[in-house]
Amino acid sequence: MNILRGYSTKVALSGMAIGAIFAATACNSATSTPAAPTAAPSQSLTQAVNQVVESGFPGVQAVIDGPGGHRVLTAGVGDLQTGAPFAADAQVRIGSNTKTFVTTVILQLVAEGKVELDAPIERYLPDVVQGNGNDGNRITVRQLMQHTSGIPDYLGHGTVEGGMAAEGSQLDPTADAIRWRQYEPADLVRRAMTMPPNYEPGARAEYTNTNYIVLGMLIDKVTGQSPAAEITRRIIEPLGLRATYFPAPGDTGIRDPHPSGYHQIDGKRVDFTITDTSWAGAAGAMISTGADVNRFFIALLDGKLLPAAQLAEMQRTVPFDREPGAGYGLGLIHRPVPCGKEVWGHGGSIPGFEVRTGVAADGTAVTVTSNQLPTSRAAFDAVEKVFEIAICGG
């Protein structure tokens, strides 16, 4: 199982809308909903959206914003029981896209002189990243944001030098004992600290969710406010992202309108819409819409959220272990697409939803959401094809 990730060529086998809102009947045919006069979607894009459902997903939505206007294409259903469509302004769990929001706040704190990128995390969080060879004195804030810290994943993913993560160390959020449990960030970090480091700090990059739980704790310590409060004050409210939020403690649902999210467990499709995502926290608990996610990434890359110096730091990349040819910056992924466009974004997978995001240099922003994680390489590739056609102008 591989969840709370950015884009990956490794398949997960376990996991205000802008303009007019549309109504459509549930069907397996792509529907396009323009908010303003826009070019019609290409036949190839329409076919690709339909192919996602044919590959085994309940439903899919592609939200496209930019020079061509605002478009929403959907196929399949948002709810298998009722047959309701995937609403144009559907709110969904955006998984690891949360990491880009967290990084943006920290880089704002860097610009304000409150955090130093290359300072050891021990300076801000004494004795938090300590144990079994993990040492916060040797791990910088930058390394946490870029997944080069070497600290282990509290979910138990990945390998340590010399072997696999400790037996029984995996935290499985699809298990009932975890699905309904309330976690504090410190609980998750302490769990990670029971395992040895994956590698020496700075030796390589390996995507690890613990990094962002620690970064959420850093925000709390430096500002005196939770990551949710700072993300709301610094990003959500200034950009008017009215459908974007961080679930409150104990909030297990998703605000309406929302599709149902499904997850394959032992070959059976389980409704995973209602769940406590405190285990994901600052690494992946946020909820948003495709239009809001596009607006956030457009604003970020336009320099509306960060000074030029901090945005440049965000775009300094290292090879991304989850996708050949891609680079991971500070909570931001530079990813290749067939048409050769310069594309930055992130992506997120969490039981019930997969959300792929990106903004091209020409201003085209795309968010593709499926209400189930892919269960095969063919399914993964089907969603990726939608993203690539859409971002390339299809």
Side-chain angles (χ1 to χ4, degrees), residues 108-116 124 218 222-223 233-234:
Q108 289 178 351
L109 294 171
V110 170
E112 294 164 10
K114 298 174 181 176
V115 171
E116 291 185 26
Y124 305 102
L218 170 63
V222 171
T223 67
R233 182 176 73 86
R234 293 169 175 267

Side-chain angles (χ1 to χ4, degrees), residues 33-364:
T33 306
T38 61
S42 66
Q43 183 177 2
S44 62
L45 180 57
T46 302
Q47 290 175 340
V49 171
N50 289 329
Q51 182 60 44
V52 170
V53 177
E54 293 170 13
S55 71
F57 290 91
V60 63
Q61 178 195 71
V63 181
I64 308 167
D65 289 290
H70 174 76
R71 287 177 289 168
V72 180
L73 287 84
T74 65
V77 298
D79 189 305
L80 288 168
Q81 184 173 7
T82 67
F86 209 122
D89 56 345
Q91 297 184 71
V92 300
R93 302 191 191 280
I94 63 171
S96 286
N97 288 291
T98 303
K99 292 179 171 71
T100 314
F101 285 81
V102 168
T103 302
T104 301
V105 170
I106 291 176
L107 288 172
Q108 289 178 351
L109 294 171
V110 170
E112 294 164 10
K114 298 174 181 176
V115 171
E116 291 185 26
L117 269 180
D118 294 308
I121 191 62
E122 186 76 8
R123 177 188 297 179
Y124 305 102
L125 298 171
D127 300 323
V128 170
V129 181
Q130 293 291 341
N132 288 293
N134 298 287
D135 185 358
N137 290 293
R138 302 175 58 232
I139 295 168
T140 66
V141 175
R142 183 193 300 275
Q143 288 170 338
L144 291 167
M145 287 196 281
Q146 201 157 44
H147 296 296
T148 57
S149 70
I151 64 176
D153 199 319
Y154 63 92
L155 293 174
H157 300 154
T159 60
V160 298
E161 303 208 349
M164 294 298 293
E167 183 73 24
S169 64
Q170 186 174 34
L171 186 154
D172 181 1
T174 66
D176 278 347
I178 308 303
R179 181 178 178 181
W180 306 114
R181 179 174 171 179
Q182 183 80 33
Y183 284 92
E184 293 296 328
D187 297 333
L188 302 172
V189 177
R190 279 194 294 267
R191 183 182 186 88
M193 294 302 103
T194 66
M195 297 175 269
N198 289 351
Y199 50 87
E200 284 292 305
R204 63 176 186 266
E206 187 174 286
Y207 194 87
T208 304
N209 293 296
T210 311
N211 290 319
Y212 277 78
I213 301 298
V214 174
L215 291 168
M217 295 173 70
L218 170 63
I219 292 173
D220 195 324
K221 184 65 175 289
V222 171
T223 67
Q225 300 293 327
S226 69
E230 289 298 302
I231 287 170
T232 300
R233 182 176 73 86
R234 293 169 175 267
I235 301 173
I236 292 173
E237 291 176 349
L239 295 182
L241 307 181
R242 297 184 179 88
T244 301
Y245 66 100
F246 215 114
D251 184 358
T252 60
I254 304 174
R255 295 173 189 168
D256 289 328
H258 67 82
S260 295
Y262 301 94
H263 195 68
Q264 291 278 353
I265 300 177
D266 296 329
K268 297 180 180 179
R269 182 176 276 159
V270 177
D271 189 328
F272 231 80
T273 313
I274 308 301
T275 185
D276 190 320
T277 56
S278 60
W279 61 268
M286 287 181 67
I287 292 170
S288 189
T289 65
D292 268 12
V293 169
N294 284 349
R295 185 181 295 182
F296 164 66
F297 278 102
I298 289 171
L300 174 63
L301 293 164
D302 278 349
K304 295 178 179 177
L305 293 172
L306 292 173
Q310 279 67 50
L311 183 57
E313 291 285 2
M314 198 176 201
Q315 294 178 296
R316 290 175 58 186
T317 66
V318 295
F320 185 33
D321 67 312
R322 298 296 176 89
E323 182 181 6
Y328 202 95
L330 304 183
L332 194 63
I333 299 171
H334 180 255
R335 62 189 311 262
V337 293
C339 60
K341 284 186 177 181
E342 184 90 355
V343 177
W344 292 91
H346 204 278
S349 299
I350 192 167
F353 299 96
E354 184 181 60
V355 183
R356 305 189 192 187
T357 60
V359 180
D362 65 3
T364 300

